[in-house]
Amino acid sequence: MNFDVRDFRSAALFLVFLASTLSLSLGWLYLAPSGAGAQRVPYVLFPILGLVLLLFPDRLLTAIWQLARRNAIWLSLYCSYLVLLSFRLAGLPDDGMIFRQFFFITCAITFGAGIIAVGASPKTLRYGGILSIAGFLVISEFVAQQIGLSWSHAMQAFVSSGDLNFVTYEFLRELFRFSGPETLLVPASEKNLVAVALFTVLILFRAGHVKSGPDVLGWVLTGLTIVVLVLLNTRSVLVVAAISLISAVLLSFVRPRPSTLQLLGLILMCVLVSGVLVILFSSDLTALASLQGRFAFDDASTGARTQQIGFAISKINERIIFGWGLTEINGQLVHNLFLGAWMHAGLLAFVLVTTAYIAMLGSWLGFIVGYIFRPNLWVLPLRAEWVAMLPTLFFFRVWIAGDAGHPGLGEWIGFFSFQGILVVNLLAAQAGLTRSSEIVLKMARHE
């Protein structure tokens, strides 16, 4: 870390940025739960991060300007969609859906600006990632102990009986309810927010590994996080995590070619992992049978989403141009951003949100293709293969997530973390620098 800790502003930025990263995995935790103004922890920390960034006007202006340049087209399209949706849902009980989107985007831009302000420091990303994952485990265990539960109970119940329902409804729901207001209703989907956050901070942690040797701690933390994700029982995150891990390993070969020993070690690791998975999933362990059933995609959750698609298409066919306003099926909004936009607000809303999505996807794919064919453009010490995985949940979950498919805070953070790191890389490349910390020093000289 190249901050001068004797500088109060730099120390404050460093500490608040770490606290904001920690708060991502604590979205289930409330401050002042007994009062009417109870707020989730990240909803308090991100505004504080914004205030601290005001102490660095040059860095903040650079960050906002660069983020605006990179994201102006799709962001204006998406915000136009939200404004149109607000008109179509005016006076209807949307449960704050539109406000949440604007708030989440603001928080994510603030976090992306924070990454730029600290120069995408590898140590900062490593500290923040491990702090967030460890903080979730320690704090959730402490809270669980207060109500006579623990992670060991949840793990034992899953291993012995394969009962993920116990983990979801008897452990996690009680855990999340404990710190909230007395009137808090905890949906089962609350665990999805935690799963998304854990995946995001894990990728930030892995991106911060800059040593030439293997990231042993990174793989240990990855294994631990996967175990927690299994217990959180969020299939979409597990699927994306598996694809992201494989993709990151493949992209890593774009870097200077690994030695023969490293290549043999990687092959051996893949063989061992494959062998363990084959043995486990061919066994008759109750817990594994439960997982196999979950990933067969023939359960009630999958059936409900399939029913929602048919319902949405039929409603769209009846009112193609203007939509129906707020429309639910079986008390739920359609779990798809594009169908939901069209059904709620009409054809124009669908066009706006689809065009925004394509623009965002194009930005991401453009980076991956550019890195594969021109890896010399990547000048930061960060691991580009892991940086590339930051937006994956964003692009996947809009197809199947609740809240009408709108991205949650974790998904937005992942996308703007990716954009923030790309801005730092661009600034470093333009200035002929090879270390992200030099960007911080360069901006600091102008303050």
Side-chain angles (χ1 to χ4, degrees), residues 191-209:
K191 61 187 176 58
N192 299 345
L193 307 180
V194 178
V196 170
L198 290 176
F199 171 85
T200 302
V201 296
L202 173 66
I203 299 301
L204 287 172
F205 178 84
R206 298 303 306 268
H209 177 69

Side-chain angles (χ1 to χ4, degrees), residues 201-221:
V201 296
L202 173 66
I203 299 301
L204 287 172
F205 178 84
R206 298 303 306 268
H209 177 69
V210 296
K211 296 181 180 179
S212 58
D215 187 8
V216 176
L217 178 59
W219 285 110
V220 170
L221 197 64

Side-chain angles (χ1 to χ4, degrees), residues 15 19 25 55 85 116 145 153 178 180 260 307 311 372 377 413:
L15 292 175
S25 63
L55 299 175
L85 183 63
I116 297 171
Q145 291 286 342
H153 293 157
F178 177 79
T260 303
Q307 185 183 15
F311 171 79
I372 291 174
L377 295 179
I413 292 291

Side-chain angles (χ1 to χ4, degrees), residues 80-321:
S80 297
Y81 150 72
L82 290 176
V83 171
L84 177 60
L85 183 63
S86 68
F87 282 115
R88 293 295 291 124
L89 302 187
L92 298 175
D94 68 352
D95 193 30
M97 178 171 60
I98 299 168
F99 172 79
R100 278 196 300 275
Q101 285 301 291
F102 281 114
F103 180 71
F104 290 165
I105 291 172
T106 302
C107 289
I109 291 175
T110 302
F111 192 80
I115 285 180
I116 297 171
V118 300
S121 163
K123 287 185 178 180
T124 304
L125 298 185
R126 293 287 276 190
Y127 292 156
I130 196 168
L131 182 64
S132 189
I133 295 172
F136 167 73
L137 293 175
V138 171
I139 294 174
S140 61
E141 177 65 19
F142 174 78
V143 172
Q145 291 286 342
Q146 310 308 305
I147 52 179
L149 297 170
S150 74
W151 277 105
S152 61
H153 293 157
M155 177 67 77
Q156 183 179 7
F158 172 63
V159 172
S160 62
S161 65
D163 189 2
L164 284 170
N165 285 330
F166 171 83
V167 179
T168 299
Y169 298 105
E170 302 297 328
F171 175 65
L172 292 174
R173 177 171 283 180
E174 293 304 315
L175 179 71
F176 298 154
R177 181 183 290 130
F178 177 79
S179 67
E182 295 180 358
T183 58
L184 178 66
L185 297 176
V186 180
S189 59
E190 188 81 0
K191 61 187 176 58
N192 299 345
L193 307 180
V194 178
V196 170
L198 290 176
F199 171 85
T200 302
V201 296
L202 173 66
I203 299 301
L204 287 172
F205 178 84
R206 298 303 306 268
H209 177 69
V210 296
K211 296 181 180 179
S212 58
D215 187 8
V216 176
L217 178 59
W219 285 110
V220 170
L221 197 64
T222 298
L224 176 62
T225 304
I226 293 297
V227 171
V228 177
L229 292 180
V230 169
L231 292 176
L232 289 172
N233 192 20
T234 304
R235 285 180 299 187
S236 61
V237 179
L238 282 170
V239 169
V240 172
I243 295 173
S244 297
L245 292 178
I246 296 171
S247 300
V249 170
L250 293 176
L251 274 177
S252 69
F253 286 95
V254 176
R255 289 181 290 138
R257 297 291 180 247
S259 66
T260 303
L261 184 61
Q262 288 176 319
L263 189 57
L264 289 175
L266 178 63
I267 294 173
L268 178 60
M269 182 188 71
C270 292
V271 171
L272 288 175
V273 171
S274 300
V276 170
L277 290 176
V278 169
I279 293 172
L280 287 176
F281 280 92
S282 62
S283 67
D284 57 356
L285 291 177
T286 306
L288 291 174
S290 176
L291 286 179
Q292 290 170 353
R294 282 285 291 161
F295 285 93
F297 295 100
D298 58 358
D299 58 352
S301 177
T302 304
R305 281 171 169 78
T306 302
Q307 185 183 15
Q308 288 177 3
I309 292 173
F311 171 79
I313 292 175
S314 66
K315 301 295 284 186
I316 289 169
N317 286 333
E318 294 176 21
R319 291 189 182 179
I320 294 177
I321 303 299

Side-chain angles (χ1 to χ4, degrees), residues 47-65:
I48 293 176
L49 175 60
L51 292 175
V52 172
L53 286 173
L54 292 175
L55 299 175
F56 301 85
D58 280 8
R59 300 189 205 183
L60 181 59
L61 287 174
T62 298
I64 297 299
W65 169 244

